[in-house]
Amino acid sequence: MTPEARKVLALAGARGVSVTLGQGGQTIRLHGPREALAELKPEVAAHKPDLLRLLREPRQVEASRAWAETFARLAALYPDSLAGKLWTEVEATFPNLAGTIDAAERAADVAALDYQAGRGAAPETFLACLATWEARWGEAIAAATARGGACDDCGRADATVMVTTGTGRFCRRCLNPTMKGARHDA
């Protein structure tokens, strides 16, 4: 980042001109007195790449902070690493939930990149996608740590139980329609 880009922003502020990211994050918008705009346009054009990076910087910091805060909340629920043993268990035991986590993470990544690049005016879309990802992980942590109890369908007390919202607790066999009716003691 060149010091000239910071000087352009300082000059704009002194002349009463606001400098913001334009729609799509690839342009720079200037608002202010006409005389000041005419003076600043050549400077803005000369330093556009550095100005774009400088204008995106707060968004990058904000997105990083949001991810870090989300990971901190999840770490309070599950102190071990989410990516290690827990992820392997979630993939093996709750594949549908693992799929929703993957989809939510992809959506949050895309929304974060869009926001950081200036393709979104406000962070709401990114934050909503990140909240969805966090909620899916919360479900996975709850499911993976809800061991014990009996399956509400077959009554087997030593089954690995998954808690499903509003319908009760079920073992993997009872959740898998192709295994319905199969003997659990096999």
Side-chain angles (χ1 to χ4, degrees):
M1 179 97 38
T2 63
E4 289 81 17
R6 293 191 189 278
K7 288 178 187 176
V8 170
L9 290 179
L11 180 61
R15 301 284 192 270
V17 175
S18 71
V19 181
T20 59
L21 283 173
Q23 192 72 11
Q26 300 301 315
T27 59
I28 296 173
R29 295 175 64 186
L30 302 173
H31 297 283
R34 286 184 192 199
E35 307 81 42
L37 293 175
E39 176 186 351
L40 284 170
K41 280 185 181 182
E43 291 295 318
V44 168
H47 303 289
K48 182 179 175 183
D50 287 334
L51 285 167
L52 286 171
R53 278 192 291 279
L54 192 60
L55 292 170
R56 290 178 185 144
E57 192 174 274
R59 289 171 178 244
Q60 292 165 341
V61 168
E62 186 177 352
S64 294
R65 186 180 67 246
W67 278 105
E69 289 170 355
T70 301
F71 273 104
R73 286 189 298 273
L74 290 171
L77 296 174
Y78 192 84
D80 294 335
S81 171
L82 296 178
K85 181 181 167 198
L86 178 62
W87 178 248
T88 303
E89 182 179 344
V90 169
E91 279 186 308
T93 310
F94 313 110
N96 289 341
L97 188 53
T100 64
I101 291 170
D102 274 341
E105 185 170 351
R106 280 191 301 277
D109 283 340
V110 168
L113 291 172
D114 284 347
Y115 175 65
Q116 290 174 62
R119 291 186 290 269
E124 286 80 19
T125 301
F126 157 60
L127 293 174
C129 290
L130 187 58
T132 299
W133 179 79
E134 181 179 4
R136 296 300 83 82
W137 262 114
E139 291 172 18
I141 291 168
T145 57
R147 303 284 184 222
C151 174
D152 288 345
D153 198 13
C154 68
R156 187 169 167 219
D158 61 338
T160 299
V161 172
M162 176 178 146
V163 178
T164 54
T165 309
T167 59
R169 298 165 57 101
F170 303 95
C171 68
R172 283 181 27 179
R173 286 198 184 206
C174 291
L175 287 175
N176 186 345
T178 61
M179 297 181 77
K180 272 285 199 202
R183 292 181 47 100
H184 284 27
D185 57 355

